[in-house]
Amino acid sequence: MASQKREAMGSRGEKLVAKLTGSGSKRTSKNAPFDVVDFQSGVAYEVKTVSGMALSSSNKIHIETEAWIRKQAFLEEYDLIGSLMVVVLYSRSEMEVYRTEL
C-alpha cells in the first residue's frame, strides 16, 4: 500500500513538472533515465516528489551511482541539460517546486 501511495505521489509531481515546464515537456516511461524531457528546450528533468509532512533538516536527495551514469549518458547522447526538480507536497492545494541543474 505504501508503495502505491509513493508511486501516486511521484506521478503527481511528474505531471506538475511537465505542466510547469512547457508544451514540449513529456513524461517518459517508467524505466527512462529522466522523468520528464523537453527536447524543444533541450532539458531533461529528474523529478523527486516528497511530502511536506515527512521533511526534516536531514533530508537529502540521493541518486544512485548506476542511475547517475545512465543519466549522464542520456544527456550526452541527446545533447541535453539535466535538471533536478523537487516537488514538496503539503496538501492537495499547497506545494512548492525547487529546481537546480545537474
Side-chain angles (χ1 to χ4, degrees), residues 1 14 22 40 43 57 76 85-86:
M1 184 70 151
E14 291 169 14
Q40 292 176 349
V43 182
S57 61
E76 288 176 18
M85 302 285 280
V86 179

Side-chain angles (χ1 to χ4, degrees), residues 3-20:
S3 163
Q4 287 178 332
K5 281 187 176 183
R6 265 183 287 199
E7 282 191 33
M9 189 169 71
S11 179
R12 184 173 173 207
E14 291 169 14
K15 287 176 185 175
L16 176 66
V17 168
K19 182 179 177 182
L20 290 174

Side-chain angles (χ1 to χ4, degrees), residues 8 10 20 22 37-38 53 56 62 94-95:
L20 290 174
V37 177
D38 185 346
M53 294 184 296
S56 73
H62 180 74
E94 187 181 0
M95 63 197 75

Side-chain angles (χ1 to χ4, degrees), residues 12-13 16-17 20 48-50 52 55 85-91 93-99:
R12 184 173 173 207
L16 176 66
V17 168
L20 290 174
K48 299 292 185 184
T49 307
V50 296
L55 287 177
M85 302 285 280
V86 179
V87 178
V88 182
L89 302 175
Y90 296 103
S91 69
S93 60
E94 187 181 0
M95 63 197 75
E96 294 181 28
V97 180
Y98 301 92
R99 176 183 177 180

